[in-house]
Amino acid sequence: MPPVLLIAGSPSAPSRSTALLDEVAARLARRDIETLPLAVRELPAGALLAADVSQPAISRAVDALAAAPAVVVATPVYKAAYSGLLKAFLDLLPHGALKGKAVLPLATGGSPHHMLALDYALRPVLQSLGARHILPGVYASDAQVALTPEGAYQLQAELAGRLADAVQALAAEGLLQHPRMPAGPGFAPVPFASVRCSV
């Protein structure tokens, strides 16, 4: 199965939104689900802004998304919307780029008041790209993703629990299940003339 694509829409690294993405990646790995990170900030800026899908790095990113059975998108919230960097990437995707895929949106912002950006800004764009199922998003305020003295981010227990539930829901999606063993041989066909019934 191709890996789940993890899209980091933050213009900075490290970042709180990427910390959420890292937690999801770790939890998927525990379920033997492979992931592939895509940091949009590492794509060539000129090609990204010009929507030049012929540029090799952009082309590889679009191909990775096309192959992925599911996508996790993480973004900081700026001015009640997802990042402009993520918008530039989503804008260059072809119509129906998310068709047949499950999508888990993640976001971080300065206060709980920005939580609605997931539903009112990001979700409509994901729907317009044809996502099969958009899972309930996970939003975290900056206070819930604390910066440690060592420069790492630490998630509050309640937030970690919500991410665990989100990963459970994502893993339950049919496209992420391990393929079943092929069914064994069935019964031999029975001629109609030999069928006996009673009433």
Side-chain angles (χ1 to χ4, degrees):
M1 180 180 69
V4 174
L5 188 65
L6 309 179
I7 302 176
S10 175
S12 59
S15 70
R16 286 179 167 84
S17 60
T18 304
L20 301 190
L21 207 59
D22 291 342
E23 178 70 12
V24 167
R27 290 182 178 275
L28 287 173
R30 290 176 208 153
R31 297 171 177 268
D32 295 323
I33 297 174
E34 186 181 356
T35 59
L36 176 66
L38 171 61
V40 180
R41 69 180 176 278
E42 295 177 359
L43 296 175
L48 186 64
L49 293 175
D52 181 6
V53 294
S54 67
Q55 202 280 342
I58 302 291
S59 179
R60 285 193 297 271
V62 173
D63 289 347
L65 184 137
V71 178
V72 184
V73 181
T75 178
V77 173
Y78 299 128
K79 301 188 188 308
Y82 56 97
S83 74
L85 184 68
L86 179 60
K87 177 173 173 53
F89 179 71
L90 295 177
D91 283 350
L92 64 76
L93 295 176
H95 179 72
L98 296 176
K99 184 177 181 180
K101 303 181 192 304
V103 182
L104 171 61
L106 311 173
T108 57
S111 78
H113 301 296
H114 294 142
M115 184 187 333
L116 294 178
L118 276 173
D119 287 331
Y120 291 99
L122 185 56
R123 181 176 289 267
V125 177
L126 300 176
Q127 288 174 331
S128 74
L129 290 169
R132 175 176 64 85
H133 178 40
I134 303 173
L135 293 144
V138 176
Y139 176 85
S141 65
D142 288 352
Q144 294 176 305
V145 189
L147 185 62
T148 68
E150 296 76 26
Y153 287 107
Q154 184 173 14
L155 310 185
Q156 283 189 351
E158 183 271 340
L159 172 59
R162 286 192 286 129
L163 287 171
D165 291 342
V167 168
Q168 170 66 34
L170 186 64
E173 287 293 311
L175 290 175
L176 295 187
Q177 300 301 316
H178 295 293
R180 297 180 179 178
M181 295 297 292
F187 294 105
V190 178
F192 183 77
S194 64
V195 175
R196 299 288 183 266
C197 62
S198 61
V199 292

